[in-house]
Amino acid sequence: MSILEIRNLTHRYEDRFLFNNASLTVNNGEHIGVVGLNGAGKTTFINIIAGKLSQDDGEVLRQQSARWGYLDQHADIDRSLTVMEYLHHAFDYLFELNNKLEQMYSKMSEPLTDDELNKLIDKSSKIAEQLENANFYDLDSNIKKVAGGLGINAFGYDTPISRLSGGERAKVMLTKLLLEDVDIMLLDEPTNFLDIEHIEWLKKYLNAYKKTFLVISHDNSFLDSVCKFIINIENGNIRKYSGNYSQFSVQREMNAKQYEEEYNRQQAEIKKMQEYIDKIKSAIVSE
């Protein structure tokens, strides 16, 4: 089942087409690398499918029920928060449920009819079960498992975000996105500020990820490790290949060779035809 479908996408940047009548389908659970030369339009492509930038023409159809997450390392975040406070926002819906549960418990201490009390008990039991199933009561421990894998513990969970470097903020933003467990993640250069051990941890995490992600990366070995498909953006086209980066490179080289051979064959045919026409013209003139 498709989670994203692009039809006849067209978008210009200054005086050239980044995308010209391009189409693409992304299915649930696919792990996809996005590649192309610098300036080909990779980040523009991600911004368009994230809904942060409007295309000039064409359709971008997103599965309506899907939850989306985007790692934009240039996004502005609330720097007054501590690291842990910011990471807690990945679970806002759980904190809202917990507040609702506490209000119900408080209301139970008021004078109520048996019917009102039974309804509150039933509703509060369902919410408590939701929170239990989501491991809400072990939330900080679960946050630290992911955050530790990306090296957040090196600068501390009580540190205000305002004191972090750009690279440290990028790690915190990536951690929050992973914790949100969305249906489709859009990752723009997630390994930029990661040490080798943290890149290895991220590889394992993404390989175990059951949902969809698209990742831009200049690290070809990283793409080889985590991607089952490659989207190549080139000359206004968006083409999807099956396989990791190395497999894509082989296929692209074969396609280029076949194209060159077909082009040379066509040129030879054209030359042969032109020589035949010239010969006929010469014969007619000589008569």
Side-chain angles (χ1 to χ4, degrees):
M1 181 179 179
S2 66
I3 196 168
L4 171 70
E5 187 172 353
I6 294 173
R7 298 176 183 171
N8 306 319
L9 177 66
T10 297
H11 189 77
R12 293 178 67 96
Y13 178 73
E14 295 180 347
D15 60 344
R16 66 188 182 95
F17 283 104
L18 289 180
F19 313 110
N20 188 12
N21 204 34
S23 297
L24 172 74
T25 297
V26 173
N27 297 310
N28 282 310
E30 291 185 337
H31 296 175
I32 303 173
V34 180
V35 302
L37 297 176
N38 289 338
K42 299 184 293 295
T43 297
T44 299
F45 170 70
I46 293 291
N47 280 326
I48 287 174
I49 63 177
K52 294 181 177 294
L53 181 66
S54 297
Q55 67 272 23
D56 295 334
D57 201 0
E59 294 180 292
V60 179
L61 307 174
R62 306 171 185 86
Q63 188 182 102
Q64 291 187 350
S65 60
R67 295 173 60 237
W68 290 63
Y70 178 27
L71 177 65
D72 180 359
Q73 296 180 14
H74 304 291
D76 193 23
I77 62 177
D78 188 347
R79 302 190 181 195
S80 68
L81 300 174
T82 66
V83 170
M84 184 58 81
E85 286 171 341
Y86 175 74
L87 295 179
H88 274 172
H89 280 299
F91 304 97
D92 279 346
Y93 71 104
L94 292 180
F95 283 103
E96 289 172 7
L97 280 177
N98 188 60
N99 289 338
K100 189 174 181 180
L101 182 61
E102 289 177 353
Q103 290 170 10
M104 288 181 177
Y105 287 155
S106 178
K107 193 169 181 62
M108 286 179 192
S109 64
E110 301 174 4
L112 297 169
T113 66
D114 287 347
D115 185 54
E116 289 173 332
L117 181 60
N118 289 333
K119 284 181 179 179
L120 273 178
I121 291 173
D122 183 56
K123 288 180 180 179
S124 63
S125 296
K126 290 178 180 177
I127 291 176
E129 185 178 358
Q130 280 183 269
L131 291 172
E132 186 69 35
N133 291 339
N135 295 318
F136 177 74
Y137 303 106
D138 294 318
L139 203 59
D140 283 5
S141 174
N142 292 330
I143 286 173
K144 289 179 181 179
K145 286 179 183 178
V146 175
L150 294 174
I152 303 299
N153 51 320
F155 46 86
Y157 298 98
D158 294 327
T159 305
I161 289 175
S162 59
R163 295 184 186 174
L164 301 182
S165 68
E168 289 169 339
R169 282 198 303 275
K171 286 183 180 181
V172 173
M173 293 166 70
L174 175 57
T175 299
K176 179 174 177 286
L177 177 55
L178 298 183
L179 289 168
E180 287 172 341
D181 193 34
V182 294
D183 298 304
I184 179 166
M185 287 194 298
L186 307 175
L187 304 167
D188 193 349
E189 298 290 355
T191 63
N192 266 2
F193 302 102
L194 300 181
D195 298 332
I196 293 175
E197 63 178 301
H198 304 138
I199 291 175
E200 290 304 313
W201 181 91
L202 182 60
K203 287 179 182 178
K204 292 177 182 177
Y205 186 95
L206 292 178
N207 279 322
Y209 198 68
K210 301 299 184 184
K211 301 176 184 178
T212 308
F213 66 77
L214 280 74
V215 55
I216 298 173
S217 179
H218 287 91
D219 185 342
N220 297 340
S221 65
F222 178 76
L223 296 178
D224 267 348
S225 297
V226 303
C227 295
K228 305 299 182 186
F229 297 88
I230 296 293
I231 290 172
N232 183 45
I233 299 175
E234 186 176 22
N235 298 325
N237 295 315
I238 301 171
R239 183 169 180 180
K240 183 178 175 185
Y241 293 79
S242 180
N244 62 19
Y245 184 83
S246 293
Q247 292 165 328
F248 148 74
S249 296
V250 171
Q251 183 61 52
R252 184 168 176 264
E253 187 175 336
M254 288 176 57
N255 290 347
K257 185 177 181 181
Q258 290 173 356
Y259 176 83
E260 182 180 6
E261 290 174 352
E262 179 62 18
Y263 176 80
N264 290 336
R265 186 189 67 77
Q266 289 176 351
Q267 292 302 306
E269 289 291 332
I270 291 171
K271 182 180 180 182
K272 184 177 179 181
M273 182 63 68
Q274 188 61 52
E275 288 175 348
Y276 176 76
I277 292 171
D278 290 343
K279 183 177 180 182
I280 294 295
K281 284 183 178 178
S282 178
I284 292 172
V285 170
S286 63
E287 288 179 2

